[in-house]
């Protein structure tokens, strides 16, 4: 409930601070006194867009602050989601800066406008005349019916399931589209993959194949040159080995004569050992060589295949061909598994639909049971509000489509007159009738749902006499379950308020400002008498005012 409201530098309001109690709060005042300013300020507090033109002195900051008692509204989860400190006495503040920018705070923590809107919708329901048209919408009618049917838990489960269904259907549709695309490419990708797979590619293979080809293709020259080299090394008379051996012998005999000769002798010894080893290696290489035309042909074909694949796929090495092969394998495998994935998703979708159907049936059964009760309550209240022949014709039909709140179509037809034609509310009900229907609905909702504070802005327009008394009684009855504000021109409703405020204008230092005042008992009598008889308050008006207040 709204505990307190502070407004500074807003329109005609210079500074205003007021506290409110529970129950029925009535607000009266002459036309143009500024009642709409209060609603405008509250609208900003609840997240409406700010406008610098609504600031009284645009060189100063405009501040609107509300204190709300929220322990009844089950809002702890909201505060956790928004990462805000939860306080049973929560303070909402809205500031409009001279620059035109606005800021919003919840318990002194800066918040986005969307967060403010979300919280505001849970705290105050401002019911102005144009909002009466909400009663004609199917969504609102379902909201009322569902409050009586107590299907909140089932509806939440249904909505979660519906969201999951849409996600799964989106997934399966995307897979089906992909399947069509992939199927067209499947044969080509499969051919490319098989070609690379059959090539049995190995990293680093190309260099090895090229070396083998060069050896086999030039085997005669290699044999000839190896043989010649062995001959030069090992010839008995002029061979390098014999000559080096002679040098080695000569130096070994004089090595002891100086350090330099000893070093040269050692180096020749090393050369001789190395040459001997080289000779062995040359012989080994020669012995390993054997002309093999078949192996040469196979190596040549392998080399041609690898070069062909590299050119075909525009890559520079075997490693890139292997990466391409793996990618093709994934595409081929994905195409082959798409049918299985689609079938799996379709099975999941069927299961979700079965669960939704079960929930929708439970919702339908509870709604069907509550609908006659809603109609009877509405018709009973409307009779009290001067519509004795008001009647509703309703139907609730299950259908195949999954809608946002179930699988039903609700028909909610109305007739104000006996024997009259039934039609949709927006077509057959007048503005005054819609206002009374809305009041009746809000009265019913106050018994079955945890409504926030509700503000009726002249919902009583066009009503008088005994009907005004009935409206006043309904509002008082509602206020047992929630805080009710009524901005009214009717003395009957004003008198029913458990606290009564007056909006008025006054001139201060040559400036007109709007004020809001809690009336004393005597001031209240005079205000109601003035509402009854005008500015010149008569004794009969005072008597009537007292009878309204005290009876």
């Amino acid at each position: 409930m709204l505990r307190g409201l502070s407004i500074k530098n807003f329109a005609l309001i210079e500074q205003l601070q007021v506290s409110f109690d529970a129950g029925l709060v009535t607000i009266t005042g002459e036309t143009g006194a500024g009642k709409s300013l209060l609603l405008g300020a509250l609208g900003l507090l609840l997240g409406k867009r700010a406008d610098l033109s609504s600031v009284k002195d645009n060189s100063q900051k405009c501040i609107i602050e509300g204190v709300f008692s929220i322990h009844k509204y089950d809002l702890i989860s909201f505060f956790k989601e928004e990462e805000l400190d939860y306080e049973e006495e929560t303070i909402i503040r809205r500031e409009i800066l001279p620059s035109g920018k606005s800021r919003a705070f919840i318990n002194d923590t800066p918040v986005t406008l969307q967060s403010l809107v979300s919280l505001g919708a849970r705290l105050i329901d401002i019911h102005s005349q144009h909002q009466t048209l909400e009663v004609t919408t199917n969504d609102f009618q379902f909201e009322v019916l569902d409050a009586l049917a107590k299907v909140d838990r089932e509806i939440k489960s249904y909505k979660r399931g519906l969201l999951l269904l849409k996600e799964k259907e989106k997934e399966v549709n995307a897979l089906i589209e992909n399947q069509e695309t992939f199927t067209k490419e499947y044969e080509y990708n499969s051919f490319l993959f098989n070609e690379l797979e059959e090539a049995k590619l190995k990293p680093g293979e190309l260099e090895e194949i090229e070396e083998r080809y060069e050896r086999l293709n030039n085997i005669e020259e290699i044999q000839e040159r190896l043989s010649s080299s062995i001959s030069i090394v090992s010839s008995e008379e002029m061979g390098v080995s014999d000559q080096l051996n002679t040098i080695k012998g000569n130096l070994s005999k004089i090595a002891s004569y100086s350090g330099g000769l000893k070093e040269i002798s050692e180096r020749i010894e090393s050369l001789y050992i190395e040459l001997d080893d080289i000779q062995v290696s040359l012989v080994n290489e020669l012995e390993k060589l054997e002309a093999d035309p078949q192996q040469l042909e196979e190596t040549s074909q392998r080399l041609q295949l690898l070069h062909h694949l590299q050119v075909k796929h525009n890559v520079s090495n075997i490693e890139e061909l292997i990466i391409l092969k793996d990618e093709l394998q994934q595409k081929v495998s994905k195409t082959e598994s798409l049918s299985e994935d689609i079938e799996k998703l379709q099975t999941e979708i069927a299961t979700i639909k079965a669960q939704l159907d079960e929930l929708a049936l439970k919702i339908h059964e509870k709604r069907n049971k509550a609908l006659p009760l809603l109609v009877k309550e509405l018709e009973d209240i409307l009779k009290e509000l001067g519509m004795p022949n008001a009647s509703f014709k309703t139907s609730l039909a299950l259908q195949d489509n999954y809608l946002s709140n179930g699988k039903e179509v609700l028909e909610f037809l109305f007739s104000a007159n006996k024997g009259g034609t039934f039609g949709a509310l927006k077509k057959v009900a007048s503005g005054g009738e819609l206002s009374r229907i809305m009041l009746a609905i809000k009265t019913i909702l106050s018994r079955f749902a945890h409504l926030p504070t509700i503000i009726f802005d002249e919902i009583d327009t066009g009503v008088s006499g005994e009907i005004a008394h009935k409206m006043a009684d309904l509002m008082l009855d509602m206020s047992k379950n929630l805080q009710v504000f009524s901005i009214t021109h009717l003395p009957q409703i004003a008198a029913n308020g458990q606290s009564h405020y007056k909006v008025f204008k006054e001139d201060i230092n040559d400036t007109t400002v709007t004020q809001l005042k809690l009336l004393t008992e005597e001031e209240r009598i005079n205000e109601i008498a003035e509402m009854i008889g005008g500015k010149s308050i008569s004794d009969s008006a005072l008597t009537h005012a007292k009878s309204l207040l005290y009876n």
Side-chain angles (χ1 to χ4, degrees):
M1 60 176 284
L2 179 61
R3 283 290 188 190
L5 180 64
S6 172
I7 304 172
K8 181 180 179 182
N9 193 32
F10 178 75
L12 292 179
I13 300 174
E14 197 166 87
Q15 185 149 358
L16 185 152
Q17 191 160 356
V18 62
S19 299
F20 299 107
D21 290 325
L24 176 59
V25 179
T26 54
I27 300 175
T28 59
E30 295 179 3
T31 300
K35 297 187 290 295
S36 62
L37 297 182
L38 293 174
L39 293 179
L42 278 171
L44 285 175
L45 199 62
L46 302 178
K48 286 192 175 179
R49 291 284 173 187
D51 185 352
L52 193 58
S53 64
S54 61
V55 177
K56 181 175 176 60
D57 179 356
N58 57 23
S59 68
Q60 301 292 321
K61 186 163 57 173
C62 167
I63 303 173
I64 302 166
E65 189 172 276
V67 181
F68 294 85
S69 179
I70 64 171
H71 64 281
K72 293 182 179 179
Y73 297 155
D74 191 24
L75 289 172
I76 293 176
S77 60
F78 172 86
F79 277 74
K80 283 183 179 177
E81 288 169 10
E82 295 289 332
E83 296 182 351
L84 296 169
D85 293 330
Y86 175 80
E87 301 288 346
E88 289 191 352
E89 291 283 310
T90 280
I91 299 172
I92 300 177
R93 186 169 79 256
R94 187 81 183 275
E95 298 179 354
I96 305 175
L97 307 178
S99 64
K101 293 182 179 179
S102 75
R103 300 185 299 184
F105 302 85
I106 297 175
N107 292 331
D108 283 330
T109 300
V111 295
T112 64
L113 208 56
Q114 185 54 50
S115 295
L116 200 60
V117 169
S118 297
L119 180 58
R122 293 166 167 83
L123 297 179
I124 294 184
D125 176 9
I126 299 179
H127 182 80
S128 58
Q129 289 179 11
H130 74 272
Q131 284 176 310
T132 297
L133 292 174
E134 285 183 3
V135 76
T136 67
T137 66
N138 214 232
D139 285 345
F140 183 79
Q141 292 161 6
F142 265 121
E143 184 182 329
V144 177
L145 176 59
D146 290 345
L148 270 69
K150 297 181 179 177
V151 289
D152 183 61
R153 183 173 58 84
E154 289 86 351
I155 294 266
K156 284 180 180 177
S157 296
Y158 176 89
K159 287 185 174 181
R160 285 195 299 270
L162 185 61
L163 182 62
L164 183 60
L165 174 65
K166 289 179 178 178
E167 289 174 356
K168 294 295 181 182
E169 286 179 335
K170 187 177 179 181
E171 281 182 46
V172 79
N173 289 335
L175 286 181
I176 290 171
E177 287 180 16
N178 287 338
Q179 188 181 40
E180 292 173 0
T181 303
F182 289 164
T183 300
K184 293 175 184 176
E185 301 174 354
Y186 174 73
E187 289 186 7
Y188 180 61
N189 288 336
S190 182
F191 168 77
L192 293 179
F193 168 72
N194 288 332
E195 184 180 47
L196 293 173
E197 178 73 5
E198 288 169 5
K200 301 187 184 305
L201 303 169
K202 299 175 183 176
E205 178 187 16
L206 184 61
E207 293 79 5
E208 180 187 330
I209 294 291
E210 286 175 338
E211 181 183 329
R212 186 191 312 158
Y213 175 78
E214 288 298 319
R215 186 175 72 251
L216 290 169
N217 195 42
N218 297 283
I219 194 165
E220 291 179 0
E221 181 183 358
I222 297 170
Q223 286 175 327
E224 181 182 338
R225 293 189 180 278
L226 279 175
S227 296
S228 173
S229 298
I230 291 170
S231 177
I232 291 170
V233 170
S234 60
S235 174
E236 291 184 3
E237 295 182 2
M238 295 296 293
V240 174
S241 181
D242 279 349
Q243 291 183 22
L244 195 59
N245 189 42
T246 300
I247 296 170
K248 183 178 72 129
N250 289 335
L251 289 175
S252 66
K253 291 176 180 179
I254 61 174
S256 61
Y257 297 152
S258 73
L261 290 173
K262 183 179 181 182
E263 181 186 350
I264 294 171
S265 177
E266 289 172 352
R267 288 168 65 190
I268 290 295
E269 177 72 27
S270 296
L271 278 175
Y272 181 79
I273 294 170
E274 179 66 18
L275 182 61
D276 188 54
D277 190 53
I278 288 172
Q279 181 182 349
V280 172
S281 297
L282 288 171
V283 171
N284 289 338
E285 286 294 321
L286 183 60
E287 289 175 351
K288 285 192 293 184
L289 288 175
E290 182 180 352
D292 190 339
Q294 182 179 347
Q295 188 180 23
L296 175 61
E297 178 63 22
E298 289 173 357
T299 303
S300 176
Q301 289 178 0
R302 180 65 174 173
L303 191 60
Q304 288 176 21
L305 173 63
L306 295 179
H307 283 154
H308 166 72
L309 290 174
Q310 285 183 206
V311 172
K312 180 176 181 176
H313 294 288
N314 193 27
V315 298
S316 57
N317 54 56
I318 298 293
E319 287 71 22
E320 289 183 58
L321 281 176
I322 293 172
I323 292 171
L324 179 62
K325 185 199 74 169
D326 292 341
E327 290 174 353
L328 286 167
Q329 184 179 26
Q330 288 179 3
K331 288 181 180 180
V332 170
S333 298
K334 189 171 184 180
T335 305
E336 291 173 344
S337 66
L338 269 178
S339 295
E340 185 180 330
D341 292 342
I342 290 170
E343 187 177 342
K344 182 181 177 183
L345 273 172
Q346 287 173 335
T347 301
E348 289 180 27
I349 287 170
T351 301
I352 295 168
K353 283 185 174 180
Q355 293 169 345
L356 284 175
D357 290 342
E358 186 178 344
L359 279 169
L361 185 60
K362 286 182 181 178
I363 292 168
H364 176 66
E365 289 171 350
K366 286 191 172 185
R367 283 172 171 169
N368 247 343
K369 189 175 179 181
L371 191 54
L373 301 176
L374 172 62
V375 169
K376 185 178 185 307
E377 288 233 26
L378 278 174
E379 290 175 350
D380 289 346
I381 293 172
L382 290 175
K383 283 175 186 175
E384 294 182 19
L385 293 175
M387 298 171 65
N389 297 314
S391 59
F392 294 87
K393 184 184 290 184
T394 60
S395 67
L396 196 61
L398 272 173
Q399 42 93 61
D400 293 332
N401 294 333
Y402 295 99
L403 305 176
S404 62
N405 61 351
K407 295 180 66 177
E408 295 148 294
V409 174
L410 173 63
E411 191 174 51
F412 205 80
L413 304 179
F414 172 72
S415 173
N417 305 305
K418 188 175 287 187
T421 302
F422 284 89
L425 278 171
K426 61 183 175 183
K427 293 183 178 179
V428 300
S430 67
E433 288 167 345
L434 285 176
S435 291
R436 281 181 267 182
I437 291 169
M438 179 59 91
L439 179 59
I441 285 174
K442 295 289 185 180
T443 302
I444 295 168
L445 281 175
S446 70
R447 300 174 195 160
F448 292 93
H450 291 295
L451 292 180
T453 293
I454 189 166
I455 298 176
F456 289 114
D457 179 21
E458 299 184 2
I459 196 174
D460 49 34
T461 299
V463 173
S464 60
E466 186 59 29
I467 305 307
H469 279 291
K470 293 293 184 182
M471 272 196 165
D473 290 342
L474 281 175
M475 290 182 188
L476 188 60
D477 186 54
M478 287 177 68
S479 71
K480 294 175 183 175
N481 300 309
L482 71 155
Q483 185 185 40
V484 179
F485 286 80
S486 180
I487 298 173
T488 182
H489 289 293
L490 293 181
Q492 294 93 330
I493 292 177
N496 249 27
Q498 290 155 303
S499 51
H500 184 169
Y501 293 80
K502 180 176 181 177
V503 179
F504 61 96
K505 288 179 181 177
E506 66 176 350
D507 295 334
I508 300 176
N509 298 328
D510 296 325
T511 302
T512 301
V513 296
T514 291
Q515 305 278 24
L516 180 68
K517 179 183 180 182
L518 176 63
L519 299 180
T520 64
E521 186 174 350
E522 185 177 348
E523 288 170 334
R524 198 173 178 191
I525 292 170
N526 289 330
E527 173 70 9
I528 295 171
E530 190 174 314
M531 293 172 74
I532 294 169
K535 289 286 185 182
S536 300
I537 300 174
S538 64
D539 290 341
S540 62
L542 284 170
T543 301
H544 190 184
K546 290 176 182 177
S547 69
L548 287 175
L549 273 172
Y550 301 135
N551 292 330

